[in-house]
Amino acid sequence: RRAIEGRVIWWRMMLALCIGCIGAAGAVVGLLLLRAGGAGFLIVSEVSDGGLPASLRARAPSRFLNTQSTDEIFDSDSSDSYYVFLQKFPLKGTFKMLFHTEVVVCPSKAFERDTVFLNTLESILSNLRKEDRASFAAVPKGQWTKQDLPTCVQMGYGGSSCPTSCCGAPHRDKQRGYPLNSQMAVIGNAMGEEKELYLYGRSETISGSDAYKAVCHGHMNAVEIGMLPKCVSDWTGSDYSALTLNCNTFTSTILKCVYGLSDAKPHLGVSDMVNVKCPVEKTLDGKEVEACLVPGSTEEVLPVRNGVSSSE
């Protein structure tokens, strides 16, 4: 009898311990959700000061803080069409429960040597047009991992201490010359080997460089000089919020407000809880549109043309 009572007490102790462990694990997961919110809550892998020496950072104009060549920000190609992708990464240390996303825009000429891949992309777009509820579709990993030409533009956002406009969204050589098969994110705690790629649409007019100009007000100090209103946010590193202004909010802004595409995303859960509202702007012909306008190279504000969605 004593042996039986001893076993009962032992099992009760083990049950209590298990319940305690489950409660602790739940608390840890809850803490991760609050801290991460679906974007990088560790160190942003891109240096937000553009690599300037510490002695020059304080007095450097803000337009120099996020790019190695300010002239290139205004360069855009007009002789190509552009595929709009979303790439999704789980975050390290979150049991693949939280996610980071970025937009990657590639000129169609980047895939000219791979007609099989081009045909796959066009087939995906054709199917998206037929399926009213579909906003995006996965791109076969066996095909996108072969696309190694550094001709795409990578756009992502992460938190840091920098206070200047769009310093949280790096736009240096490695982002302006990004191969589609790269597993690198703009933040340091994304699981690159787990990258997933989705196709949203194709643009005939808006390149990746144009999209960056639109979401970042044209150039780094546009907010200060009042050239354009902010595109949802100023996207400074210090404005980052795990729940209300994270990497997935940035992705939504580009998809919805710049390209006129859906901002629905593939199974992000609590990482993506913000419904982005695009600013209302007037085009050159006086029409009001809910979009982030693309500035021209001569400071002229050009209308965003949304004839690029997956339903075109």
Side-chain angles (χ1 to χ4, degrees):
R1 181 177 178 180
R2 289 179 181 177
I4 295 175
E5 290 177 349
R7 290 193 186 97
V8 170
I9 293 173
W10 183 84
W11 280 110
R12 286 179 178 175
M13 291 176 60
M14 292 300 297
L15 179 61
L17 180 61
C18 289
I19 293 174
C21 291
I22 292 172
V28 171
V29 171
L31 180 60
L32 288 175
L33 296 179
L34 288 175
R35 292 185 61 192
F41 58 89
L42 297 180
I43 300 174
V44 177
S45 63
E46 296 297 333
V47 181
S48 302
D49 56 30
L52 293 176
S55 60
L56 297 179
R57 291 173 196 161
R59 62 176 183 267
S62 59
R63 65 181 179 276
F64 294 123
L65 293 181
N66 200 40
T67 177
Q68 294 174 349
S69 172
T70 54
D71 292 336
E72 288 189 43
I73 289 184
F74 296 101
D75 293 339
S76 62
D77 298 323
S78 58
S79 59
D80 207 344
S81 59
Y82 309 92
Y83 291 103
V84 182
F85 300 94
L86 175 145
Q87 55 185 16
K88 170 186 173 183
F89 304 90
L91 294 179
K92 297 176 182 177
T94 66
F95 308 101
K96 298 183 181 180
M97 296 175 62
L98 302 180
F99 302 93
H100 169 81
T101 63
E102 299 173 352
V103 174
V104 177
V105 178
C106 304
S108 59
K109 63 185 178 184
F111 313 127
E112 286 179 345
R113 66 181 185 179
D114 191 342
T115 56
V116 173
F117 187 60
L118 270 178
N119 290 337
T120 296
L121 297 181
E122 289 304 312
S123 177
I124 290 175
L125 289 179
S126 178
N127 290 334
L128 288 178
R129 296 184 190 107
K130 297 175 184 177
E131 300 174 12
D132 293 337
R133 296 184 179 181
S135 302
F136 54 84
V139 181
K141 187 171 184 178
Q143 293 190 34
W144 66 256
T145 51
K146 299 177 182 178
Q147 311 309 315
D148 56 0
L149 289 181
T151 53
C152 303
V153 174
Q154 173 196 28
M155 290 173 280
Y157 175 67
S160 69
S161 60
C162 65
T164 56
S165 302
C166 246
C167 64
H171 193 61
R172 303 190 189 86
D173 289 342
K174 64 174 68 175
Q175 284 84 40
R176 295 193 299 270
Y178 186 81
L180 191 62
N181 68 349
S182 174
Q183 297 180 347
M184 294 297 297
V186 301
I187 62 172
N189 59 319
M191 299 174 66
E193 67 279 5
E194 299 290 337
K195 168 179 167 177
E196 299 174 10
L197 190 71
Y198 298 85
L199 179 62
Y200 275 67
R202 186 185 67 241
S203 171
E204 302 300 331
T205 57
I206 304 175
S207 67
S209 295
D210 283 340
Y212 187 84
K213 284 185 277 184
V215 78
C216 289
H217 329 290
H219 53 71
M220 295 306 100
N221 67 345
V223 175
E224 287 85 343
I225 67 175
M227 188 180 75
L228 287 174
K230 65 183 180 181
C231 181
V232 178
S233 169
D234 295 335
W235 306 112
T236 69
S238 55
D239 281 347
Y240 173 86
S241 168
L243 294 179
T244 61
L245 193 74
N246 62 27
C247 62
N248 302 309
T249 317
F250 184 75
T251 298
S252 292
T253 300
I254 296 175
L255 292 173
K256 182 178 179 179
C257 302
V258 177
Y259 283 103
L261 295 163
S262 170
D263 60 349
K265 301 182 192 67
H267 308 296
L268 299 191
V270 295
S271 296
D272 183 37
M273 300 190 296
V274 176
N275 183 21
V276 168
K277 182 174 178 58
C278 305
V280 177
E281 299 298 331
K282 284 189 176 182
T283 63
L284 292 179
D285 57 4
K287 294 182 180 179
E288 289 190 345
V289 294
E290 290 188 4
C292 295
L293 300 177
V294 178
S297 59
T298 59
E299 306 293 335
E300 180 184 14
V301 176
L302 302 177
V304 171
R305 290 183 288 274
N306 288 340
V308 298
S309 70
S310 58
S311 61
E312 65 175 354

